[in-house]
Amino acid sequence: MTTCSAPRRRRLLLLCLCFTLLLRFHSCAASPRDLRFSVGDIAAVEAVLPSLRQARSTFFEVDRPLHPPRGSSGPCSTLLLSHSFAFTFTKPPVTASYSPPSCLAEDGGGARAVSLAVLEWRADCRGAQYDRIFGVWLGGAELLRGSTAEPRPSGVTWSVSKDVTKYASLLAAGNSTLAVYLGNLIDDTYNGVYNANLTLHLYFRRAARSPTAASAPADRVVPVSRSLPLNDGLWFVVDNTTDVESTRLTVPPNAYRAVLEVYVSSHNFDEFWYMNTPDQNGPFREVTVHLDGDVVGAVWPFPVIYTGGINPLIWRPITSIGSFNLPSYDIELTPFLGKLLDGKEHELGFAVTNAQKSWYVDANLHLWLDPKSSATSGGLIAYDAPKLTGRIVSNSSNGIDGQYDATASRNITATGWVRSSRGNIPTTFTQRLTFVHTNVVSNQGSSQAINQTTEAHTEVTGDGPHSQQLHQSFPLYIFLGGDGSGTSSQKLMRRVALGFDETRAGAAGRPASTLHNEQTAAAEVVLRDDQVVGASWRMPQVYEYGGSDGGCYLRNVSSVGYDVLFDHNEESCAGTRRRRRRRGVARVGGRGRG
Ligand SMILES: *[C@@H]1O[C@H](CO)[C@@H](O)[C@H](O)[C@H]1NC(C)=O
Ligand SMILES: *[C@@H]1O[C@H](CO)[C@@H](O)[C@H](O)[C@H]1NC(C)=O
Ligand SMILES: *[C@@H]1O[C@H](CO)[C@@H](O)[C@H](O)[C@H]1NC(C)=O
Ligand SMILES: *[C@@H]1O[C@H](CO)[C@@H](O)[C@H](O)[C@H]1NC(C)=O
Ligand SMILES: *[C@@H]1O[C@H](CO)[C@@H](O)[C@H](O)[C@H]1NC(C)=O
Ligand SMILES: *[C@@H]1O[C@H](CO)[C@@H](O)[C@H](O)[C@H]1NC(C)=O
Ligand SMILES: *[C@@H]1O[C@H](CO)[C@@H](O)[C@H](O)[C@H]1NC(C)=O
């Protein structure tokens, strides 16, 4: 431990640790939240690896493959945009005019005929560059948010295929503008240009078969984002705890169901929010959704670690869960439709509890319209959104080593009725959210272990086919440590265990599913006399998905260094069922559509 800022004389933990661990890599003058290795650091590591001068690498995020329902025709593929993102930071998004592909128009069935829509982002980059965040919007509605892969000098390529069927109405709606923002910086050191192609693949169901009520995409998708022109992404930027970013919108008079889909990503001082100390607003964050000033829902985000985070080598070639394709979060607004259906403008806003600079947040309002009536009506029956509870307890005997524990909990519930041609139907939306976190600092500040779990239970009841329970659990464990500190030889160690677990159960006919997705990675960089002499890392990942509609997927993949050691995958449910039973996870109930 050397010259990081002097320990503060208070009972707070000194968390210069990320720097103490990175001493040989980063000067203490580096950005205060810099849990990153610089391009130069990685170049030094690569220089001692035998495999450096190999051909272009392909990095990938483990996800299940997308298949159109049996009997579908297609794909009908359309290149939407092809662009090289060089110096794009603080510039306007790249735009292209969008017209529904002729196969979508010709078919006659429009959005209802789409059985699967896949948005494919395929990109490459060569040279030196940081990971960058990017977003794709159609008519102002966000379709995809991702982090780029950090390139190698020899080049890297990656692709993401995202199911965008839920945006079918938007894809069919008519001419609009496609916008892509990827804020990249180019200078003498960071010369990596991101080349990207964006392609839409459409599959169509056989004529006269329409989707079941439970799975039909919304009839209208209303963007809740910033409008062009601007020199940034269309997301709102939330920079502090009091900031509420909002927009005003109106809802068509015959809506009977409303779901707000929220996209979030954390950056700069809050990129690694879960490692933040009490004087950095602690490790807890949530995005709250405000309707005319009331908190109507909350997003407790999955901790996405971008490809440059903690130690970039860890995420090569298997990238972090959610990093190439960030998850979005649904808030059921149907109970509040009574208020929204008055034909007037309403304010939808976003805040981030404990925020530091910066959070990028926007949303899409998915609306289902009553084809048999020109006006629906509704009313709120009950609404209860008590304040967030939570606390941080910290202790330290010497101002350096110690522990702090943080907890948080929030409940939101709302019931409202909507009268449409389907009847007068009450809907209840309930969220029960908990967060438990510990951060232990030891070895004179040279080791840090973070262990936290976010649990989010969300329930929609009342409206038959749309009723569902969703339980999400996001465990995260991070260990940062060094050994041999003060001697000529030193090891910098990182361990990350990250999980995305989800159980979805629903009313009859509503697809139910379970997902267990887990990474347990470790990396070690060995230094001798301040020189990198070796590095090793490994990433085992297990992805198990089981769906009531018969779709199952198991992937068991493991990499060591840049090499994939084994990669086993199967699409039969037998394997996943067997494993699930062994792990004691309940079987998914209900039978979906054939
Ligand atoms: C994008 O498409 C063009 C034309 O097909 C192709 O030459 C280029 O290699 C593609 N780029 C990527 C990153 O896939
Ligand atoms: C939509 O765009 C296409 C291609 O630019 C153009 O031919 C067509 O006239 C436009 N349609 C409308 C309704 O503006
Ligand atoms: C919080 O951010 C908003 C929007 O950028 C800004 O107007 C406000 O002054 C900030 N408040 C504080 C306390 O920094
Ligand atoms: C700090 O708190 C932890 C957990 O409550 C406890 O185990 C530990 O002994 C405490 N340390 C000090 C120095 O008080
Ligand atoms: C949330 O609800 C659960 C179960 O009803 C209850 O145990 C918990 O104390 C509540 N939490 C808050 C913060 O109100
Ligand atoms: C993290 O905490 C959970 C819950 O307390 C515990 O079961 C788990 O073993 C811990 N993980 C590690 C790696 O310490
Ligand atoms: C993954 O594969 C490894 C090596 O074959 C095996 O030990 C492990 O049990 C597998 N895990 C699962 C969940 O199938």
Side-chain angles (χ1 to χ4, degrees):
M1 265 198 46
T2 49
T3 56
C4 278
S5 61
R8 289 170 204 214
R9 294 280 147 227
R10 44 176 168 138
R11 281 163 54 86
L12 258 194
L13 300 176
L14 170 105
L15 281 238
C16 193
L17 352 114
C18 45
F19 315 141
T20 68
L21 297 169
L22 291 174
L23 276 185
R24 305 305 193 281
F25 287 97
H26 272 305
S27 82
C28 293
S31 136
R33 288 305 307 146
D34 225 343
L35 257 172
R36 293 170 166 282
F37 289 75
S38 77
V39 164
D41 304 330
I42 294 300
V45 171
E46 295 241 27
V48 303
L49 299 174
S51 61
L52 171 67
R53 308 220 174 272
Q54 69 184 44
R56 200 162 73 151
S57 315
T58 299
F59 295 169
F60 59 97
E61 180 181 338
V62 171
D63 202 352
R64 60 185 177 273
L66 300 172
H67 299 299
R70 215 171 292 138
S72 295
S73 64
C76 157
S77 301
T78 311
L79 179 67
L80 301 180
L81 182 121
S82 179
H83 190 80
S84 294
F85 295 85
F87 199 118
T88 47
F89 191 64
T90 68
K91 299 267 186 356
V94 174
T95 58
S97 45
Y98 173 87
S99 315
S102 53
C103 52
L104 188 51
E106 274 162 14
D107 183 88
R112 300 221 133 230
V114 174
S115 61
L116 175 67
V118 177
L119 186 67
E120 181 193 12
W121 166 275
R122 186 170 287 278
D124 63 31
C125 186
R126 172 192 297 274
Q129 193 51 265
Y130 279 118
D131 53 348
R132 305 295 183 189
I133 191 83
F134 71 89
V136 176
W137 294 263
L138 181 61
E142 186 159 351
L143 305 186
L144 170 67
R145 189 177 301 190
S147 156
T148 63
E150 285 197 347
R152 305 181 67 191
S154 51
V156 64
T157 174
W158 84 100
S159 71
V160 170
S161 286
K162 178 172 177 180
D163 184 341
V164 292
T165 314
K166 63 180 159 189
Y167 307 114
S169 64
L170 200 64
L171 297 168
N175 291 353
S176 75
T177 301
L178 183 87
V180 180
Y181 181 80
L182 186 163
N184 195 24
L185 285 162
I186 298 283
D187 62 20
D188 292 343
T189 313
Y190 302 108
N191 57 5
V193 171
Y194 287 105
N195 307 304
N197 289 345
L198 193 63
T199 309
L200 178 65
H201 305 282
L202 295 171
Y203 299 84
F204 298 96
R205 56 174 51 84
R206 260 176 270 151
R209 284 203 67 191
S210 59
T212 61
S215 61
D219 301 299
R220 189 80 56 88
V221 179
V222 178
V224 186
S225 61
R226 296 193 296 172
S227 314
L228 295 169
L230 42 66
N231 295 325
D232 194 353
L234 278 67
W235 41 55
F236 298 102
V237 180
V238 176
D239 275 346
N240 61 48
T241 53
T242 52
D243 200 357
V244 183
E245 294 292 327
S246 67
T247 188
R248 303 186 72 79
L249 52 82
T250 55
V251 160
N254 61 336
Y256 68 87
R257 182 177 179 226
V259 175
L260 188 74
E261 179 199 18
V262 183
Y263 281 87
V264 323
S265 55
S266 62
H267 305 280
N268 303 323
F269 291 84
D270 262 1
E271 176 175 345
F272 305 99
W273 86 84
Y274 37 82
M275 303 193 91
N276 284 351
T277 53
D279 62 343
Q280 296 162 323
N281 296 354
F284 172 74
R285 299 291 182 274
E286 63 165 349
V287 178
T288 50
V289 175
H290 301 241
L291 174 61
D292 296 330
D294 292 328
V295 173
V296 293
V299 172
W300 287 30
F302 173 76
V304 176
I305 303 173
Y306 307 129
T307 57
I310 300 178
N311 178 340
L313 296 172
I314 290 180
W315 316 115
R316 302 175 181 196
I318 305 176
T319 193
S320 170
I321 297 171
S323 57
F324 284 166
N325 180 3
L326 273 73
S328 61
Y329 307 83
D330 287 347
I331 303 289
E332 183 82 32
L333 292 185
T334 306
F336 297 96
L337 264 181
K339 177 182 229 187
L340 292 167
L341 285 167
D342 64 0
K344 301 203 174 88
E345 281 197 333
H346 292 271
E347 186 172 46
L348 257 178
F350 307 98
V352 181
T353 303
N354 297 335
Q356 301 188 111
K357 198 176 164 61
S358 310
W359 287 77
Y360 297 168
V361 186
D362 64 15
N364 301 318
L365 183 58
H366 294 252
L367 294 166
W368 284 259
L369 308 180
D370 187 352
K372 297 189 191 129
S373 75
S374 57
T376 52
S377 59
L380 189 63
I381 296 166
Y383 164 60
D384 189 28
K387 276 204 165 59
L388 174 80
T389 62
R391 60 191 203 131
I392 303 183
V393 179
S394 59
N395 66 35
S396 173
S397 49
N398 60 3
I400 300 173
D401 289 350
Q403 168 166 354
Y404 64 87
D405 303 305
T407 56
S409 160
R410 186 193 272 285
N411 295 333
I412 296 174
T413 178
T415 303
W417 56 271
V418 175
R419 189 193 310 276
S420 71
S421 70
R422 308 162 71 247
N424 185 342
I425 300 174
T427 298
T428 298
F429 173 59
T430 307
Q431 287 192 292
R432 284 202 306 276
L433 307 159
T434 57
F435 172 80
V436 179
H437 169 104
T438 62
N439 186 341
V440 178
V441 179
S442 57
N443 290 327
Q444 289 298 305
S446 68
S447 297
Q448 182 181 17
I450 281 157
N451 189 358
Q452 69 173 42
T453 302
T454 305
E455 303 269 347
H457 186 81
T458 302
E459 216 170 301
V460 178
T461 56
D463 188 356
H466 303 127
S467 292
Q468 76 158 324
Q469 294 114 44
L470 174 67
H471 189 89
Q472 294 180 311
S473 175
F474 305 146
L476 170 67
Y477 173 83
I478 297 175
F479 173 80
L480 312 176
D483 81 346
S485 182
T487 69
S488 66
S489 136
Q490 191 180 1
K491 269 186 200 162
L492 302 183
M493 292 172 297
R494 300 283 187 273
R495 283 208 292 278
V496 180
L498 181 61
F500 190 115
D501 292 311
E502 187 175 86
T503 307
R504 214 177 266 277
R510 169 122 195 161
S513 62
T514 60
L515 171 64
H516 170 71
N517 190 4
E518 183 183 16
Q519 299 184 305
T520 47
E524 203 172 275
V525 173
V526 182
L527 304 166
R528 195 162 299 137
D529 298 327
D530 293 355
Q531 299 296 312
V532 177
V533 294
S536 62
W537 65 97
R538 62 191 154 82
M539 165 65 82
Q541 179 166 7
V542 171
Y543 182 107
E544 290 177 87
Y545 173 82
S548 61
D549 57 0
C552 291
Y553 184 64
L554 168 75
R555 182 127 179 223
N556 184 355
V557 56
S558 190
S559 63
V560 171
Y562 283 111
D563 302 317
V564 174
L565 203 62
F566 66 83
D567 187 353
H568 170 77
N569 67 77
E570 63 182 275
E571 293 199 39
S572 116
C573 286
T576 40
R577 272 205 205 105
R578 201 166 54 235
R579 281 178 187 84
R580 218 178 294 132
R581 264 203 304 278
R582 216 160 47 220
R583 292 200 357 262
V585 176
R587 256 188 72 181
V588 170
R591 295 290 325 159
R593 18 178 201 132

